[in-house]
Amino acid sequence: MNRLAALLILAFVVLFVGWNTLAAERVANFKLEGVDGETYELKAVAKNCKAILIDFWSTNCKPCKKLMPHLQTLYEVYAPAGLEVIVISRDTTLTVSKVKPMVVAEGWTFPVLYDTDLKVSDAYHVRFAPVTFLINKKGEVLFHHSGYKPGHEKDYEEAIVSALELTEEQVEE
C-alpha cells in the first residue's frame, strides 16, 4: 500500500470511527465545583472506586434528559460494586441557573459538576451532549459513547459490568 493511501485510511478512521479505537486513550484530570458546593478532582475520585462513568450533558438537551434516569439507576445498582458516576454540565452562564433545580427535582444522587467555561469539555473533545466515557482507575478509556437513543443504556451496563469485573451471579444479585 502506498503512503498516501495509508494516510487517507488513517484519516478516515480518526474522523469517522474515532481516535479511541486506535489506542487506549487517557483522560485529562480535572477539578470542578459540584452542584453540592464541593470541589471534585478526578484523580481523587478515582482512588475510591474501580471505574468512573463521566457524562457530559446540558439542561436543554433532550437526549440527555432521557439518559439521566438510566444513569441514576446504573449508579444505584453498581456503586456498591465500585462504580462512580460523575455528570458534567456544559451549561454556560445563560443556562447554568437551571442545573441545580433540575438535579434536585429529578432526585439525582451522583455528583453533578459545572463546566461553564467548557474547558473540561474541550479537554475531552466534547462538542455536544450527551457524551459518555467509562474509565478505569488509571484514567484509561474503557468505553466511549456519543448521543443517546433508548436501548443504549444496555451498552453502558455491559461496559460497566466488564469494567467492574463482575460475574453473572454478582450482576443478578
Side-chain angles (χ1 to χ4, degrees), residues 19-74:
W19 184 254
N20 290 344
T21 60
L22 295 179
E25 186 177 339
R26 285 188 112 105
V27 296
N29 187 41
F30 59 78
K31 207 182 260 194
L32 293 172
E33 182 179 337
V35 168
D36 60 5
E38 298 291 321
T39 299
Y40 293 82
E41 181 178 17
L42 183 61
K43 282 195 297 191
V45 172
K47 290 179 183 177
N48 300 316
C49 62
K50 292 181 181 176
I52 305 171
L53 187 104
I54 303 170
D55 184 74
F56 290 85
W57 76 291
S58 65
T59 56
N60 62 354
C61 168
K62 289 180 183 178
C64 297
K65 291 176 186 176
K66 292 178 182 176
L67 173 60
M68 288 302 144
H70 298 293
L71 294 185
Q72 180 63 42
T73 300
L74 291 169

Side-chain angles (χ1 to χ4, degrees), residues 112-125:
V112 177
L113 315 181
Y114 297 112
D115 185 24
T116 55
D117 60 8
L118 303 179
K119 287 184 180 177
V120 175
S121 295
D122 288 344
Y124 282 63
H125 309 290

